[in-house]
């Protein structure tokens, strides 16, 4: 018997390489995981910055006229700007999408008392849409019912990217002219304003989710994912006497 075997050295030397190999493999996996996580964070940050700095900070008149205007509820400024565009002749009809069931035509018209005649002739109210998906569905119904080929989309500047993805999915053959309302937040000031940063991060994550969802579904009305997100149908019958006028 060799001296090393008698003292147990041979057993120790045989076991050491296996132990070191397992430790080395673990370190490599941890290193790869760390680098992968760092790359994921970097890509996410770059995507967020691209999203933020693509948002318009200044409102500009539409480049051309359209058949109709669609304004998404969520702020009085959106409705006011849409009414002004209608009054200036940028389109012949306006749809206000996502109106609360407790809000009637007179209440909305009082926000723009100088344009009351436009409400009587050229403004339609949508009470059915429950979220952005519902906005896109109701916009499609309205545009198809009126035979429109082009629409001006009015919503907040930070909400515009997600709204356009939904509209492109629901109405791929309709021309959309964005009119982002920039009166709410300044997206370029996100790094010094925590409230603004929170809004933009949340909207960016929603934008990514919508972009991914619309890559795998054919139609928002028949999408099971859209129903799950909405807690039911994204566009539902409203408890009002008149939904569209």
């Amino acid at each position: 018997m060799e001296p090393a075997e008698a003292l147990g050295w041979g057993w120790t030397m045989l076991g050491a390489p296996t132990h070191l190999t397992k430790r080395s493999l673990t370190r490599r996996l941890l290193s790869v995981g760390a680098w992968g996580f760092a790359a994921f964070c970097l890509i996410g940050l770059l995507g967020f910055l691209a999203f933020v700095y693509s948002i318009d900070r200044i409102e500009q008149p539409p480049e051309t006229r359209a058949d109709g205007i669609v304004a998404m509820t969520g702020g009085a400024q959106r409705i006011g700007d849409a009414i002004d565009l209608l009054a200036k002749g940028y389109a012949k009809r306006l749809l206000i999408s996502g109106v609360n069931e407790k809000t009637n035509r007179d209440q909305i018209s009082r926000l723009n008392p100088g344009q009351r005649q436009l409400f009587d002739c050229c403004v339609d109210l949508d009470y059915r849409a429950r979220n952005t998906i519902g906005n896109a569905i109701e916009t499609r119904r309205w545009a198809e019912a009126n035979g429109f080929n082009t629409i001006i989309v009015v919503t907040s500047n930070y909400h515009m990217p997600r709204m356009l993805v939904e509209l492109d999915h629901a109405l791929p053959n309709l021309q959309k002219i964005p009119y982002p309302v920039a009166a709410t937040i300044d997206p370029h000031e996100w790094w010094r304003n925590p409230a603004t940063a929170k809004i933009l991060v949340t909207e960016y994550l929603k934008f990514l989710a919508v972009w991914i969802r619309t890559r795998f579904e054919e139609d928002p009305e028949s999408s099971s994912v859209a129903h799950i997100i909405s807690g039911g149908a994204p566009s539902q019958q409203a408890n009002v006497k008149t939904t569209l006028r």
Side-chain angles (χ1 to χ4, degrees):
M1 180 180 294
E2 294 293 333
E5 294 178 349
L7 294 174
W9 297 346
W11 180 86
T12 303
M13 294 302 294
L14 289 173
T18 302
H19 180 68
L20 292 176
T21 300
K22 290 182 178 180
R23 180 179 298 178
S24 177
L25 179 60
T26 300
R27 287 178 177 175
R28 290 180 182 179
L29 290 175
L30 289 174
S31 178
V32 170
W35 280 107
F37 179 74
F40 175 80
C41 292
L42 179 61
I43 293 172
L45 176 60
L46 292 176
F48 172 73
L49 293 177
F51 172 80
V52 168
Y53 289 100
S54 68
I55 297 174
D56 292 317
R57 303 174 67 189
I58 302 174
E59 296 177 12
Q60 298 181 353
E63 297 180 357
T64 183
R65 285 172 168 76
D67 296 323
I69 302 169
V70 179
M72 313 304 165
T73 55
Q77 184 67 36
R78 303 180 187 180
I79 308 304
D81 284 2
I83 290 291
D84 288 342
L85 291 175
L86 185 65
K88 292 176 182 178
Y90 277 99
K92 51 191 177 184
R93 291 202 73 79
L94 164 66
L95 171 67
I96 302 176
S97 180
V99 179
N100 189 288
E101 295 177 3
K102 298 180 180 179
T103 304
N104 58 41
R105 182 179 294 271
D106 289 337
Q107 289 173 318
I108 297 177
S109 65
R110 282 199 292 269
L111 297 175
N112 300 272
Q115 308 295 347
R116 179 57 189 264
Q117 74 281 1
L118 290 176
F119 276 89
D120 295 334
C121 75
C122 310
V123 177
D124 299 316
L125 303 182
D126 156 43
Y127 290 94
R128 296 169 59 98
R130 293 292 180 263
N131 52 24
T132 302
I133 305 172
N135 291 145
I137 292 172
E138 291 305 318
T139 298
R140 177 172 66 184
R141 292 174 178 171
W142 179 75
E144 291 178 347
N146 288 280
F148 291 162
N149 295 312
T150 59
I151 59 171
I152 296 172
V153 182
V154 180
T155 190
S156 297
N157 53 358
Y158 62 87
H159 181 240
M160 185 64 74
R162 179 160 59 102
M163 189 70 251
L164 289 178
V165 172
E166 292 285 8
L167 287 173
D168 285 340
H169 179 53
L171 285 159
N173 298 320
L174 187 77
Q175 181 184 0
K176 300 96 180 167
I177 303 170
Y179 183 86
V181 178
T184 50
I185 64 172
D186 184 350
H188 293 192
E189 296 295 321
W190 66 273
W191 54 275
R192 65 172 64 180
N193 189 324
T196 298
K198 181 180 179 180
I199 291 173
L200 292 176
V201 169
T202 301
E203 191 61 34
Y204 174 60
L205 294 176
K206 289 181 178 180
F207 169 80
L208 291 179
V210 168
W211 188 90
I212 293 172
R213 192 197 89 238
T214 55
R215 301 283 81 77
F216 295 96
E217 68 180 22
E218 294 184 359
D219 188 274
E221 288 195 69
S222 59
S223 168
S224 58
V225 176
H227 279 65
I228 293 173
I229 293 173
S230 306
S235 179
Q236 301 176 357
Q237 184 64 45
N239 295 320
V240 292
K241 293 181 179 180
T242 304
T243 54
L244 289 181
R245 176 178 176 179

